[in-house]
Amino acid sequence: MDPLLNFVGKTVLITGAASGFGKLLAKEFGDRGANLILADLNLEGLEDVAAERIDQGNEVIIAKTDVTKEEDHRYLVDKALRSFGSLDIAINNAGIPQKPGLLHKIEDTTFDAQMDVNLKGVFYGMKYQLKAIGKSGGGSILNVSSIAGTEAAPTAGAYSAAKHAVIGLTKTAAVEYADKGVRVNAVCPFLSATPLLDQGEGMDQGIRDFIAMRCPMKRIGEPQEMINAMVLLCSPANSYMNGQAILIDGGVSAY
């Protein structure tokens, strides 16, 4: 197997693994020989993903997980170490969309939910993943931010704030833990056709088409296009990329 895509024997932890990016990541890493720790609040969806991967010969552990709970992250990391003896890669992918609204109309509950899931869900994960990966001999953490974490996001101010903060945590952790052999990067996708997009209010086909026109390629991203880049970012052979927030946006940020 090409060393750039070889994850044989590596233990990969993925949050938000029941659908969307997480489900596709489980397939890609599983197909390349990784042991999988899959986490999501949606236990039924997790079980379906696990069944598919087990049928393909993967070693899989699943756990119903609320990423807003610190103890759930502690459990995931402990489970990885007990089950497979190491944690090599962690992908903090779980997230939620924001109900659209101008900044002065955002309610506390909306803002708090964004901070709890999209920011604390990454912070709590890294709190335990960093130490475990360092003790395992080094590896990689990939945090899922957004293009909204790099620029303004009108009507999605709370979401944008959380995703900006994810990049700040990513860069800080990358510097603090580089000497432990832990690389920490973030991925910042443009709009992509995942179930998360379908959950967002005010995102009918007309709005999606309008947003797509921002992109030089005149379309939103396909989930698999995002996943291909994420797998490469996590590759053990990609050993000198650290502290980066990588835009996968069809050229939107090139303007």
Side-chain angles (χ1 to χ4, degrees):
M1 186 181 292
D2 187 325
L4 192 63
L5 299 174
N6 187 353
F7 295 91
V8 173
K10 301 295 184 184
T11 300
V12 180
L13 188 162
I14 304 167
T15 66
S19 64
F21 289 164
K23 180 178 180 178
L24 289 173
L25 286 165
K27 178 184 185 303
E28 294 299 327
F29 284 109
D31 285 349
R32 290 166 173 78
N35 304 316
L36 301 172
I37 300 285
L38 305 180
D40 203 291
L41 200 57
N42 176 4
L43 182 57
E44 183 177 354
L46 268 185
E47 290 172 341
D48 290 342
V49 173
E52 291 176 7
R53 300 321 311 159
I54 291 169
D55 284 346
Q56 296 301 313
N58 294 134
E59 295 289 334
V60 183
I61 300 292
I62 65 172
K64 183 176 181 178
T65 301
D66 182 346
V67 296
T68 70
K69 307 295 185 185
E70 182 175 351
E71 58 269 24
D72 283 17
H73 292 277
R74 183 190 298 115
Y75 173 83
L76 286 174
V77 170
D78 287 347
K79 188 68 173 176
L81 297 176
R82 290 196 308 269
S83 300
F84 300 119
S86 68
L87 178 62
D88 305 290
I89 296 166
I91 304 175
N92 294 305
N93 165 69
I96 58 172
Q98 181 199 320
K99 178 181 178 181
L102 296 175
L103 207 64
H104 75 281
K105 293 183 178 180
I106 295 176
E107 298 177 353
D108 284 353
T109 53
T110 296
F111 192 87
D112 289 345
Q114 288 296 314
M115 296 302 122
D116 288 344
V117 177
N118 290 342
L119 179 55
K120 285 186 178 179
V122 173
F123 166 67
Y124 288 145
M126 286 202 296
K127 187 173 181 179
Y128 296 96
Q129 295 157 6
L130 286 160
K131 185 176 180 181
I133 293 173
K135 285 189 173 182
S136 298
S140 175
I141 293 175
L142 183 63
N143 297 322
V144 178
S145 181
S146 167
I147 193 170
T150 68
E151 60 179 45
T155 74
Y159 178 85
S160 180
K163 293 300 189 177
H164 271 81
V166 165
I167 293 174
L169 284 178
T170 297
K171 290 179 177 291
T172 299
V175 172
E176 290 183 347
Y177 292 87
D179 63 351
K180 305 295 191 298
V182 185
R183 298 184 300 108
V184 189
N185 294 291
V187 64
C188 305
F190 187 53
L191 201 65
S192 180
T194 66
L196 191 67
L197 178 63
D198 294 332
Q199 294 170 23
E201 296 183 32
M203 291 300 292
D204 60 28
Q205 192 59 50
I207 296 297
R208 297 182 196 195
D209 291 344
F210 175 78
I211 293 173
M213 289 301 101
R214 281 191 62 200
C215 178
M217 298 176 74
K218 303 306 179 187
R219 63 179 177 86
I220 65 174
E222 292 296 330
Q224 190 64 47
E225 293 176 306
M226 309 301 174
I227 296 308
N228 293 342
M230 293 165 77
V231 171
L232 288 171
L233 284 168
C234 294
S235 169
N238 187 20
S239 54
Y240 202 58
M241 181 177 284
N242 189 36
Q244 302 304 303
I246 303 299
L247 283 144
I248 313 172
D249 64 359
V252 173
S253 58
Y255 280 114

